[in-house]
Amino acid sequence: MPRFLIIEDDSQNARFLAEGMRELQAEVCVCPDGVQGLTQAVTGHWDAIVLDRMLPDGFDGLKILQALRGMGNTTPVLVLSALSATDERVRCLKAGCDDYLTKPFAFSELQARLEALLRRVQSAAPAPVLEVGDLRLDLLSRHAERGGRTLMLQPREFRLLAFLARHVDQTVTRTMLLESVWDYRFDPQTNVIDVHISRLRNKVDKGFEQPLIHTVRGVGYCLSTQPPAP
Amino acid sequence: MSLRPWSSMAFRLALVYGGLLLLTMVVVLTIFYVQMVSVFSQRMDQEAKMDLQRLEQHAQEHGEQSLRQEIDRLLSDGVDSQTEIAILTDARNNFLAGNARILPRRTLSTFGMRELRLERQGRTMTGRVAVAQLPSGNLLIVGSDMDALEDIEERFMRASLTAVVIVLVLAVSGSVAFRRLVDDRAASIRQTMLQVANGDLGQRIPLAGGDDEFTRLGRDINRMLDQIELLMDGVRHVSNTIAHNLRTPLTRVLLQLRSARHLGGQEQQRLLEHLEQEVQGLGTVFDKLLQIAELESGMRRQEFCAVDIPGLLADIADLYAPVAEENGCTLELDIEGLPCALGDGDLLANALANLVENALKYACSEAGGHVRIAARQQGEVVELRLQDNGPGVPPERLARITDRFYRAHEHQPGHGLGLSSVQAIVQLHNGSLQFANLAPGFEVQLRLPAAAQRAAALMPPASAGL
């Protein structure tokens, strides 16, 4: 059971976040201010910390993050912020946070990013071969096959599938895909990612009984041998 | 006008200038005075020595009796009789001949050129004289009284003093006048500024003709006020449109939430999902507005580096090719050379993605749509052209398509912020953005400053995400 620490001063927000995470079978602790938060972060053992960027009393998220990293603590930290400016994001990433989410955000986006953070920690050394059901991806030779049949994938399609396979059984959002596969940070107006996924789906799932690429409504996509729970 | 004149800079400057003038004058007069007096007294000394020599010689040749006559003759010849002095005394300073007596009566011990207190015709004065002792022990004293010199000195001093006083008076009154003049000119500027500070942005500084410092200052301030007024108008316009574009959907959400209470099961679920989307859309509008504001503040320029335009375009084409294909549309790249722009890769990608999305949206509304992106470097400028064969934009709407929330094609979905943010991104890059209708189609021309040198190494490789 993953353990999360939430450091957030808005009690309603914190409560909803905690409730959402508990629904996902996680153990959650909420701290309403920076001093308490830092104490908890240092003394407890956490799988990830959700940190609000702006906290009262001048002891804000950035300072907590710096203090934490200064002590050599490497717990993954996801910063929530109402500040969307890019240099703000860069400042937080430089201070040692692992991901950054701008308010307002959908809970599903936070969930997907937290899962990705946990996964990153677990698989520090990437395996050269990824397998999901009968799908097999060789990252070194860039070869993809399913049920023994080679899939003819464009380089970008291979990268997209590899990203999904790395986060197997886990929902990834469209923004995460654009950031990780294309390495750009912006919000496309159209459903450009959906089109890429549907083409990939044509190559990966067509002709097979069991679909691997699933759409998670309103959130994103998931590569899994099981259809995701609604 | 304040009561302390010293607080005025004009006053201080004029006064200091007057003081400098006075100092110069005093120095010049002093040099003049010293020169004049020294020449004058040298000449007096020379004459006295010459007379003395002549009389001494006379005494040698003709005896002292004749000397007394010669002295009388010298004094009565009518030349310099007002000033010249000739005295013969014995060693004890008893008067023997001449026109003056030494005061007080004493024995002279120093000879040669010297000054001496004398009494002549009942008047005491100082004489500049040459003194010599004759072989008989008598003293021969020849020279002139210093009245003339003293007189000149006195006149000179009086004239100098008068001049100094006049200069002083002129300097002070000039300073006051200058001060008043500058104060008057500054007062009109200050009054306007005060009115502006109190909120009356329409006020302008009245400009007198000419091109002096104050007129130029006034003109610059007026130009600044024009700009501020324009920006304020812009801000007012923007806050009005923001209020409208956020309040209306918020109201819609509130009303729908209210009606959701009375709905049952599945219908309620559907409405809630719809509402979630609507709120997310509001968040998007908000993000875009903030992004535009951030771009317009110019903060991101510090992170600029060389951006590989062919690579960027390839990425964009790669991202949008499937969308184009899906809509039966072709996307064509035409790149000349290896242009490199100075900028922020993410932002440029964002702007290009916006433009490509627009082009695809309109070009694909009809069959056989075609979008072409051309890039080339021309000197210091990277030129990008996006052409589509869509319906274009009605000419009367061209000027407004970069306005926030303005939508040239109202039936198409969107917030009307895409081109505003493209415009903001291009402005941040010191570039230019132009639109033109082709027949048929639409063209966007984007010009960006080129990076000084190609620095592909600065661009993160596109595969960094894997």
Side-chain angles (χ1 to χ4, degrees):
Chain A
M1 189 189 282
R3 302 187 72 220
F4 294 124
L5 174 65
I6 300 174
I7 307 176
E8 157 75 279
D9 63 311
D10 185 298
S11 60
Q12 288 227 12
N13 259 348
R15 193 156 55 85
F16 283 126
L17 285 180
E19 273 172 17
M21 288 179 188
R22 283 188 190 114
E23 272 173 37
L24 298 168
Q25 314 297 320
E27 206 175 297
V28 183
C29 172
V30 176
C31 287
D33 68 79
V35 180
Q36 232 181 65
L38 186 60
T39 318
Q40 280 288 350
V42 174
T43 52
H45 180 79
W46 308 101
D47 291 301
I49 298 171
V50 177
L51 178 63
D52 189 19
R53 169 73 178 81
M54 299 222 256
L55 291 168
D57 309 328
F59 200 62
D60 69 351
L62 205 59
K63 283 194 186 138
I64 294 178
L65 190 59
Q66 281 162 344
L68 209 57
R69 295 296 184 241
M71 285 182 255
N73 190 312
T74 55
T75 314
V77 172
L78 190 152
V79 171
L80 301 179
S81 172
L83 305 169
S84 71
T86 318
D87 57 336
E88 193 54 41
R89 181 197 292 269
V90 171
R91 202 183 302 164
C92 282
L93 290 173
K94 273 189 187 151
C97 88
D98 300 87
D99 207 349
Y100 183 102
L101 203 52
T102 310
K103 292 179 182 177
F105 54 87
F107 182 77
S108 46
E109 179 84 30
L110 175 70
Q111 182 194 342
R113 285 180 184 270
L114 275 178
E115 279 175 1
L117 273 188
L118 294 187
R119 186 63 60 94
R120 209 179 294 167
V121 174
Q122 282 163 14
S123 57
V129 176
L130 297 171
E131 283 187 58
V132 180
D134 54 353
L135 176 71
R136 193 168 179 282
L137 290 178
D138 188 331
L139 296 182
L140 294 177
S141 65
R142 306 232 143 200
H143 179 80
E145 59 177 42
R146 187 170 178 192
R149 208 169 78 197
T150 301
L151 303 174
M152 300 303 290
L153 297 180
Q154 303 280 328
R156 191 76 69 178
E157 288 169 336
F158 185 88
R159 216 180 285 163
L160 190 56
L161 189 58
F163 184 80
L164 288 167
R166 263 177 206 288
H167 298 91
V168 62
D169 294 331
Q170 192 188 313
T171 307
V172 293
T173 65
R174 293 173 179 82
T175 332
M176 286 165 79
L177 286 174
L178 185 66
E179 273 174 31
S180 314
V181 179
W182 279 270
D183 201 33
Y184 287 111
R185 271 182 181 274
F186 61 89
D187 271 322
Q189 292 170 44
T190 53
N191 56 347
V192 54
I193 301 294
D194 297 343
V195 178
H196 280 274
I197 291 286
S198 94
R199 307 186 122 218
L200 186 63
R201 193 177 259 155
N202 262 337
K203 293 188 176 176
V204 175
D205 285 343
K206 208 170 184 181
F208 291 93
E209 204 174 301
Q210 186 194 34
L212 288 180
I213 302 174
H214 306 279
T215 305
V216 185
R217 268 198 80 190
V219 186
Y221 298 94
C222 174
L223 186 75
S224 173
T225 50
Q226 308 284 322
Chain B
M1 200 194 284
S2 84
L3 290 173
R4 279 173 308 171
W6 193 244
S7 65
S8 155
M9 201 176 89
F11 184 80
R12 287 200 303 260
L13 278 179
L15 207 64
V16 168
Y17 183 69
L20 277 176
L21 202 68
L22 196 71
L23 192 71
T24 316
M25 209 175 82
V26 168
V27 168
V28 168
L29 286 175
T30 309
I31 292 170
F32 191 63
Y33 173 78
V34 169
Q35 288 285 323
M36 193 183 75
V37 167
S38 74
V39 166
F40 201 80
S41 56
Q42 262 172 21
R43 222 170 63 202
M44 274 166 63
D45 290 1
Q46 228 166 359
E47 271 175 27
K49 276 182 197 157
M50 268 167 56
D51 282 344
L52 186 72
Q53 225 173 357
R54 197 169 54 78
L55 289 176
E56 261 183 308
Q57 210 171 354
H58 191 89
Q60 246 174 20
E61 286 167 13
H62 307 285
E64 279 199 24
Q65 206 51 49
S66 170
L67 178 66
R68 289 181 196 198
Q69 285 164 8
E70 183 58 24
I71 288 172
D72 287 339
R73 210 183 51 75
L74 181 75
L75 292 174
S76 57
D77 63 359
V79 180
D80 291 339
S81 49
Q82 290 294 309
T83 55
E84 66 188 340
I85 291 164
I87 312 164
L88 186 66
T89 64
D90 65 11
R92 292 233 177 89
N93 203 2
N94 290 315
F95 180 78
L96 300 176
N99 60 350
R101 282 160 207 271
I102 297 165
L103 283 177
R105 281 190 55 183
R106 63 202 155 105
T107 315
L108 287 178
S109 51
T110 44
F111 308 124
M113 282 311 300
R114 60 170 293 175
E115 279 169 24
L116 211 55
R117 295 290 294 160
L118 296 169
E119 191 227 302
R120 192 177 77 169
Q121 292 159 3
R123 199 167 64 86
T124 349
M125 43 94 182
T126 310
R128 180 84 187 158
V129 291
V131 182
Q133 196 162 31
L134 296 176
S136 61
N138 289 346
L139 293 175
L140 181 60
I141 300 160
V142 182
S144 57
D145 95 27
M146 288 176 73
D147 264 4
L149 189 61
E150 275 166 6
D151 190 43
I152 288 171
E153 274 176 341
E154 203 186 295
R155 277 166 192 269
F156 189 87
M157 278 303 185
R158 221 170 16 227
S160 299
L161 203 69
T162 316
V164 164
V165 168
I166 290 173
V167 166
L168 214 63
V169 168
L170 277 180
V172 171
S173 57
S175 303
V176 171
F178 269 143
R179 195 219 143 126
R180 206 161 275 174
L181 197 74
V182 171
D183 244 18
D184 282 353
R185 296 296 300 272
S188 71
I189 295 181
R190 288 186 51 209
Q191 202 191 346
T192 311
M193 299 310 266
L194 202 68
Q195 282 170 316
V196 171
N198 283 334
D200 187 358
L201 264 178
Q203 288 292 330
R204 293 293 178 273
I205 295 160
L207 296 179
D211 197 34
D212 67 6
E213 291 86 341
F214 279 96
T215 316
R216 263 184 280 169
L217 180 67
R219 205 177 300 134
D220 288 348
I221 292 176
N222 280 352
R223 208 173 299 139
M224 182 184 79
L225 288 174
D226 286 345
Q227 185 65 20
I228 290 177
E229 202 179 10
L230 201 74
L231 286 174
M232 292 285 281
D233 279 350
V235 167
R236 205 171 298 129
H237 173 73
V238 166
S239 39
N240 285 345
T241 40
I242 289 176
H244 176 257
N245 280 276
L246 290 178
R247 278 197 181 126
T248 312
L250 271 176
T251 313
R252 206 159 54 219
V253 168
L254 280 176
L255 292 175
Q256 281 174 321
L257 271 175
R258 196 181 129 79
S259 68
R261 276 190 217 155
H262 311 295
L263 291 175
Q266 212 167 6
E267 253 182 292
Q268 190 179 43
Q269 200 62 36
R270 228 185 354 253
L271 186 59
L272 285 178
E273 264 172 38
H274 169 75
L275 282 173
E276 194 177 332
Q277 276 175 15
E278 189 127 16
V279 174
Q280 271 172 8
L282 275 175
T284 310
V285 172
F286 214 76
D287 277 354
K288 294 237 183 253
L289 284 173
L290 284 177
Q291 194 206 19
I292 292 171
E294 185 204 345
L295 291 172
E296 285 177 347
S297 73
M299 301 264 283
R300 276 180 83 162
R301 265 184 214 135
Q302 302 120 339
E303 291 157 35
F304 277 9
C305 59
V307 177
D308 169 39
I309 293 294
L312 186 78
L313 287 177
D315 283 344
I316 293 290
D318 178 76
L319 187 61
Y320 284 95
V323 182
E325 213 172 295
E326 206 103 314
N327 290 293
C329 200
T330 51
L331 188 60
E332 182 200 346
L333 280 189
D334 173 13
I335 301 169
E336 261 178 52
L338 296 167
C340 220
L342 186 67
D344 179 314
D346 270 333
L347 288 178
L348 289 178
N350 192 348
L352 286 166
N354 256 308
L355 294 173
V356 171
E357 281 183 12
N358 271 347
L360 286 176
K361 199 155 65 177
Y362 299 117
C364 295
S365 56
E366 286 158 40
H370 181 72
V371 176
R372 181 172 173 273
I373 310 173
R376 60 181 171 158
Q377 184 159 357
Q378 280 198 315
E380 303 288 291
V381 174
V382 176
E383 194 185 83
L384 292 160
R385 283 168 190 268
L386 264 100
Q387 296 171 335
D388 65 60
N389 59 348
V393 175
E396 70 275 9
R397 297 189 172 187
L398 265 185
R400 290 193 57 198
I401 55 174
T402 56
D403 286 1
R404 289 181 184 81
F405 298 112
Y406 184 79
R407 289 160 62 194
H409 298 268
E410 274 128 3
H411 56 278
Q412 288 276 7
H415 301 295
L417 289 172
L419 284 181
S420 310
S421 85
V422 172
Q423 167 95 320
I425 290 171
V426 171
Q427 269 172 5
L428 182 80
H429 285 78
N430 294 321
S432 71
L433 185 66
Q434 278 174 333
F435 306 97
N437 273 311
L438 306 174
F442 190 60
E443 182 188 77
V444 182
Q445 202 187 98
L446 216 158
R447 296 161 74 85
L448 298 167
Q453 76 264 39
R454 252 191 86 73
L458 286 174
M459 272 284 285
S463 58
L466 196 70

